[in-house]
Amino acid sequence: MEILGIDIGGSGVKAALVDTDKGELLSDKIRFQTPENGSPKKIFDGIATNFIEELKWNGKVGCGFPGIVKKNKVYSAANISKKWIGVNIKKKFLNKFNLECRAINDADAAGLSEINLNNKIPKKGTVMIITVGTGLGTSIFVDGKLVPNIEFGHLKMYGDCAEKYASNLARKKLNLTWKEWAARFSEYIHYIELLVSPNVIVFGGGISKYFHEFESDLISNCKIIPAKNRNNSGIIGAAFSVT
Ligand code: BGC
């Protein structure tokens, strides 16, 4: 099936057409910068001109969102305008574009893509996907089944959110070297491992393309592997969520 996959993020909104049978992008990835404060109106306007009109799309849409999403409705928005809370993304797509859409959490979307496409992930056991970008997105799959809306980016570390300590935004703000950042991220993994004991951790999100830079500095009790589709996992998994 051909689906428009959209990944709304704190710094960029990305989309591509996805072949959900093959799990591949069918078009180039298109991106626009998340407008300042990222209000629903501004982002939907951006989606209209940059994606829907540009691709002349009139099929189904899968949308990943950086917050808790239950039955297509947003319940939290840490790195994007609070105006999103309460928005039913499916209804918005229907009313604004007359398009059928399914919305899920962005890290859950990335996880769906990896679980289905990454043959390095075991079929049994606990798999944790961590997407590292503006925030820290987490998803957990047990024996291949998603436990939705796990928000481990908001565990407390040093009196604030873990994502304030170990996200890519934290790395950039503090101008940390890869080594310094990897030490922080390893502390975060240690914390996660006390709570969940995953068999494998899949590293995704914006900086997964630099995985080779810090791989050797990551310390964990389990195997950490990069996301097969790196930062495209969010787009592909959002499309998968529709099928
Ligand atoms: C949000 C999560 C999201 C993550 C990555 C966090 O701040 O609470 O829902 O998955 O950022 O975007």
Side-chain angles (χ1 to χ4, degrees), residues 65 67-76 86-90 102-105 108 148-150:
F65 179 82
I68 298 170
V69 181
K70 291 193 270 184
K71 294 192 182 151
N72 302 293
K73 190 171 162 185
V74 174
Y75 285 82
S76 78
V87 170
N88 185 311
I89 297 179
K90 179 186 168 107
R102 167 127 197 253
I104 62 170
N105 170 264
D108 289 353
N149 290 306
I150 296 286

Side-chain angles (χ1 to χ4, degrees), residues 196-214:
V196 189
S197 301
N199 300 92
V200 177
I201 292 175
V202 182
F203 191 105
I207 57 168
S208 55
K209 58 174 177 274
Y210 303 115
F211 190 72
H212 58 279
E213 300 274 2
F214 48 78

Side-chain angles (χ1 to χ4, degrees), residues 65-68 76 78-79 105-107 131 135-138 151 153-154 163:
F65 179 82
I68 298 170
S76 78
N79 291 310
N105 170 264
D106 57 356
T131 62
L136 287 178
T138 52
E151 286 284 327
H154 292 272
E163 64 183 17

Side-chain angles (χ1 to χ4, degrees), residues 14-35:
K14 295 133 279 182
L17 295 182
V18 179
D19 177 336
T20 54
D21 299 315
K22 294 194 181 132
E24 286 171 4
L25 299 194
L26 287 169
S27 71
D28 286 340
K29 186 156 80 171
I30 319 174
R31 181 186 193 277
F32 66 90
Q33 202 173 340
T34 306

Side-chain angles (χ1 to χ4, degrees), residues 1 33-34 37-39 44 61 66 83 96 127 134 136-137 145 148 153 174 176 180 184 196 200 220-221:
M1 207 192 282
Q33 202 173 340
T34 306
N37 95 31
S39 70
F44 276 111
V61 180
K83 287 191 181 147
K96 202 170 157 69
V127 178
T134 311
L136 287 178
K145 199 163 168 21
L174 298 170
L176 302 176
E180 287 165 335
R184 283 181 173 227
V196 189
V200 177
S220 70
N221 291 322

